[in-house]
Amino acid sequence: AQSVAQPEDQVNVAEGNPLTVKCTYSVSGNPYLFWYVQYPNRGLQFLLKYITGDNLVKGSYGFEAEFNKSQTSFHLKKPSALVSDSALYFCAVRAAYGQNFVFGPGTRLSVLP
Amino acid sequence: GAGVSQSPRYKVAKRGQDVALRCDPISGHVSLFWYQQALGQGPEFLTYFQNEAQLDKSGLPSDRFFAERPEGSVSTLKIQRTQQEDSAVYLCASSLGGTGNPLHFGNGTRLTVT
């Protein structure tokens, strides 16, 4: 069975500092990994994905994520945080076509001015 | 282009009432998913359609929950005899076919059962 863990409920970072939101996964076979962001009273918004190829993937709004197969991790990163990045972040995994996307519990990011 | 549209945006139901939640996916998206999201938590899978075929309904919590997508486009999630534990945000998402294509979410329907 697929599963996703986000070990931090909350991450606080000062504006301008780098940020990392952690994600580890468990899946049989090759994973398809995704990051989403959710603002209050809105649906989830796609940020980036890893399917195959380079372990470092770049996405929207300056976010990037690093796939590490040996550590089964897919951490989200940004070199310089903005106050407007404050939101709820979800990591998701899909094992194969025809299967559902499994989401982590979410990490609340607060960027302090 | 229009995104995924869900209606109503908010729904208040008395315990025991039936409700129907509608999802209009992005045009051309063959895959459609329903998720349930409790406050401050991650989305929990309910069911998945490929065109009009319901390929997986393993996440539906009880036989009071029913989903359909008769023409492979608009989908309806129906909850019969609502209970207080059904209170949540119901999210619909659509996707192009293929494993690597991301989900595109609507803004959800917030259901409150009183």
Side-chain angles (χ1 to χ4, degrees):
Chain A
Q2 311 162 73
S3 66
V4 176
Q6 294 182 241
E8 301 154 319
D9 291 336
Q10 173 96 30
V11 170
N12 297 321
V13 63
E15 187 174 29
N17 282 1
L19 69 86
T20 299
V21 182
K22 295 179 180 177
C23 170
T24 58
Y25 65 89
S26 175
V27 69
S28 299
N30 293 322
Y32 299 86
L33 296 159
F34 304 82
W35 273 102
Y36 288 83
V37 60
Q38 187 176 34
Y39 297 99
N41 297 316
R42 302 294 298 272
L44 280 68
Q45 183 176 336
F46 169 69
L47 283 178
L48 52 77
K49 66 181 181 181
Y50 172 82
I51 304 301
T52 187
D54 289 343
N55 290 341
L56 185 65
V57 295
K58 295 185 183 297
S60 307
Y61 312 118
F63 284 94
E64 56 191 30
E66 186 166 12
F67 171 65
N68 187 316
K69 188 172 183 177
S70 63
Q71 297 186 4
T72 61
S73 67
F74 189 56
H75 300 331
L76 182 70
K77 301 181 180 184
K78 188 173 183 181
S80 178
L82 300 173
V83 172
S84 57
D85 293 330
S86 298
L88 201 50
Y89 289 80
F90 294 98
C91 182
V93 66
R94 191 182 199 194
Y97 185 61
Q99 296 197 11
N100 62 305
F101 292 69
V102 175
F103 286 83
T107 297
R108 185 167 300 281
L109 173 68
S110 292
V111 181
L112 308 173
Chain B
V4 177
S5 178
Q6 292 188 247
S7 61
R9 191 77 174 85
Y10 302 94
K11 177 70 178 178
V12 178
K14 292 188 187 298
R15 189 163 58 94
Q17 284 184 332
D18 297 349
V19 298
L21 312 181
R22 177 188 169 103
C23 174
D24 277 274
I26 293 173
S27 178
H29 279 194
V30 297
S31 299
L32 187 146
F33 293 75
W34 283 97
Y35 284 84
Q36 182 188 61
Q37 186 178 27
L39 188 64
Q41 297 186 20
E44 295 287 339
F45 171 74
L46 293 176
T47 187
Y48 160 48
F49 290 86
Q50 184 81 351
N51 296 304
E52 68 279 4
Q54 190 173 19
L55 298 187
D56 188 349
K57 56 181 181 179
S58 62
L60 297 176
S62 77
D63 58 7
R64 297 186 295 106
F65 286 70
F66 172 76
E68 60 184 6
R69 194 187 185 197
E71 297 179 358
S73 178
V74 171
S75 178
T76 304
L77 177 67
K78 298 180 179 178
I79 310 173
Q80 297 177 321
R81 305 180 303 280
T82 53
Q83 304 294 317
Q84 283 194 320
E85 61 263 28
D86 300 335
S87 296
V89 174
Y90 290 86
L91 294 169
C92 175
S94 69
S95 174
L96 293 167
T99 309
N101 289 305
L103 296 177
H104 297 265
F105 282 85
N107 285 330
T109 294
R110 181 178 298 278
L111 173 65
T112 303
V113 182
T114 61

